[in-house]
Amino acid sequence: MRSMLFLPADSEKKIAKGAGTNADGLILDLEDSVALSRKDEGRRLAREYLDANPLGSRTKKLLVRVNPLCGDMTLGDLAAVVGGAPDYILLPKYRTREDVIRFDHYISALEARDGVPAGHIKILVIGTETGQGVLSMGGLTDCSDRLAYVSWGEFDLSADVGAETHRLPDGNWDDLFRTARSLCLAAAASAGIEPCNTVFTDFKDDDGLRDACLGARRAGFTCMMAIHPNQVDIINESFSFTAEQLEWSRRVVEVFEASPDMGVVGLDGIMLDKPHYTQAQRMITRSKAYG
């Protein structure tokens, strides 16, 4: 996935609008965007949407964000939606690796109860919404075979540590938030999973969104979450590859594979080593996955 669009699970209208976008994934949100009094309605509508789009018929990945394990609604959320076989479930407010292990066990039990293929549902962790989560990012390595993505978030982290803002006067991240972003990338690399960039909240600022996307891609992020349908196309474009980039990557792969015993090769007057080969392979593989 390049783009994942948040949609309040209790709004049929917004879900339908999101389904009409080019988003690679739709996040049916049961957490922040659904009021406490609407949680049951959100669960019902999320399950209805999953059932109406069963496995084998989906043109988009379907994700559900449940409420965090630190509260008392997680099991109710999971019990309501697992039977609809979402492709991913988002775990917010990660604290330690034990959260992911317990989350995995819950999903496994409910998959078995509801006849969902074992291991089908993958996990996306939002890992830096608390100070404890920031300090525990290394725990994501080897904690669950379901773990596929990790993202980060600055707004909940701001509230948790009592920060008045997460930006410096010049617009750059303050130290803690820059660290959280970097640890998200490092945790993804360590765990062998995909790093997903956090949302860009000003949905009317296309130039700002594009800059955020390209900056995230340069840093190593492979995808990004959206809060508004109008953001999807810019995100998709920013995380896609041009024909020129793919042609160069194919040539890099070809020259290395033609000389498998060489650690360094030359191409168009440029010396390349194994990291270039690895990057070229990744670009080609990712482009195929994007279709």
Side-chain angles (χ1 to χ4, degrees):
M1 291 181 285
R2 297 160 298 180
S3 56
M4 309 174 196
L5 174 60
F6 273 108
L7 301 166
D10 65 337
S11 173
E12 291 180 280
K13 181 179 178 180
K14 290 181 179 178
I15 293 173
K17 185 174 181 179
T21 69
N22 294 316
D24 294 331
L26 302 178
I27 304 172
L28 308 176
D29 186 22
L30 292 171
E31 194 206 11
D32 288 344
S33 64
V34 178
L36 183 61
S37 62
R38 298 275 296 171
K39 296 294 186 184
D40 288 339
E41 181 71 358
R43 290 170 176 173
R44 182 183 68 81
L45 291 175
R47 178 59 182 270
E48 285 183 359
Y49 189 79
L50 291 166
D51 289 343
N53 295 272
L55 292 179
S57 70
R58 296 173 184 169
T59 58
K60 303 178 186 298
K61 298 295 185 183
L62 298 184
L63 307 86
V64 178
R65 180 167 70 169
V66 298
N67 287 278
L69 285 169
C70 56
D72 59 0
M73 291 183 286
T74 313
L75 269 176
D77 291 343
L78 291 174
V81 302
V82 164
D87 299 295
Y88 298 85
I89 296 181
L90 277 65
L91 173 63
K93 295 180 176 62
Y94 163 81
R95 296 169 298 182
T96 69
R97 64 185 285 112
E98 285 70 28
D99 277 354
V100 182
I101 294 169
R102 179 152 61 106
F103 201 61
D104 184 324
H105 290 168
Y106 288 163
I107 294 171
S108 295
L110 291 166
E111 280 181 338
R113 183 196 71 171
D114 294 335
V116 176
H120 164 72
I121 298 172
K122 303 305 180 185
I123 296 173
L124 186 159
V125 163
I126 305 178
T128 66
E129 293 184 303
T130 67
Q132 185 180 17
V134 172
L135 294 175
S136 302
M137 290 295 282
L140 293 175
T141 302
D142 297 328
C143 68
S144 169
D145 290 339
R146 295 183 187 273
L147 188 59
Y149 287 86
V150 59
S151 188
W152 71 289
E154 73 267 30
F155 297 104
D156 286 286
L157 181 58
S158 293
D160 190 56
V161 303
E164 294 182 1
T165 180
H166 48 271
R167 298 275 188 175
L168 296 170
D170 63 5
N172 291 315
W173 299 109
D174 207 342
D175 291 344
L176 175 63
F177 305 95
R178 186 169 63 250
T179 299
R181 182 176 185 261
S182 299
L183 286 174
C184 179
L185 288 165
S190 178
I193 59 179
E194 299 289 331
C196 179
N197 194 38
T198 189
V199 298
F200 183 81
T201 55
D202 188 348
F203 61 85
K204 294 183 179 180
D205 183 0
D206 290 352
D207 290 338
L209 172 62
R210 188 172 285 105
D211 288 344
C213 291
L214 295 177
R217 177 174 166 175
R218 285 193 298 269
F221 289 96
T222 61
C223 51
M224 185 164 172
M225 297 173 177
I227 60 166
H228 192 279
N230 291 346
Q231 296 181 318
V232 168
D233 289 340
I234 292 175
I235 292 174
N236 283 348
E237 177 187 358
S238 299
F239 285 94
S240 296
F241 305 109
T242 66
E244 291 78 11
Q245 289 172 319
L246 289 173
E247 178 59 24
W248 171 256
S249 294
R250 292 189 187 100
R251 294 180 64 209
V252 170
V253 169
E254 288 170 1
V255 73
F256 270 100
E257 293 183 349
S259 305
D261 297 326
M262 298 291 290
V264 178
V265 299
L267 180 63
D268 295 347
I270 300 173
M271 298 305 296
L272 306 172
D273 55 15
K274 289 296 184 180
H276 295 97
Y277 177 54
T278 300
Q279 288 284 64
Q281 287 179 311
R282 285 178 178 170
M283 186 177 293
I284 292 169
T285 300
R286 194 174 305 285
S287 180
K288 290 178 180 178
Y290 293 157

